[in-house]
Amino acid sequence: MDEHADDTPNTPDIREPRLWSVDGWTARVVKNEDDDGWAVEMHRAGDAEPALVGPWTMGRDKKNPKPLDTAAFNTLVKTAHEVIRRAEQHLHATLHRQIDVEAPGGRVTVSLDIEPDEDNPSARLSAVDAAGEALASIAVSPGFQLNRASALRWVEADFAKPR
């Protein structure tokens, strides 16, 4: 089961003009605080913040919002999933970096893995050779900047703790 799915058993679907709640997703049409228009918020059950907020279409009377419908709701769910996926990919890329460098003994893959704990963040710098054999692994500051130059310096310094 999806860890973010609504864990309330048999929660009835809601399909109102300005509020839809189906399969752990809720779309709510709200007054846009920035102008005279409307916005839609997409919330995933269990998340504190909306996954997506965007402008919403005015109805024919040019005052009230267009009602939600199946096609719009499905598009909003798909878009919100994509936003969440991209955010997760970005976070993963920020916390887990990997660079290949050429050393005298051959190609070395240097990795930096950051654990973003609020109270005690940590990071580990590690190296493996072309065959996948571990060469070194040390704790470093979570602020360590891994780039090609820093990776090569670490390899050339025989994996001594970077300053």
Side-chain angles (χ1 to χ4, degrees), residues 28-123:
R28 181 182 316 275
V29 177
V30 296
K31 191 76 174 131
N32 190 337
E33 297 172 8
D34 297 332
D35 64 25
D36 292 333
W38 295 89
V40 63
E41 299 176 341
M42 284 299 295
H43 288 267
R44 182 171 61 173
D47 289 353
E49 297 292 323
L52 176 70
V53 178
W56 189 245
T57 307
M58 295 288 252
R60 290 185 175 170
D61 65 4
K62 304 296 182 203
K63 289 194 292 186
N64 294 304
K66 177 181 168 187
L68 288 162
D69 60 27
T70 301
F73 183 79
N74 290 341
T75 299
L76 289 165
V77 169
K78 182 179 177 182
T79 304
H81 268 293
E82 183 65 19
V83 167
I84 290 169
R85 187 183 68 77
R86 286 183 185 164
E88 289 169 348
Q89 285 177 334
H90 176 74
L91 179 61
H92 180 78
T94 301
L95 299 177
H96 306 284
R97 300 202 24 122
Q98 183 172 306
I99 295 177
D100 290 335
V101 295
E102 288 300 323
R107 182 179 55 85
V108 175
T109 301
V110 178
S111 301
L112 176 66
D113 294 299
I114 300 172
E115 287 295 326
D117 185 284
E118 286 184 33
D119 298 325
N120 189 22
S122 61

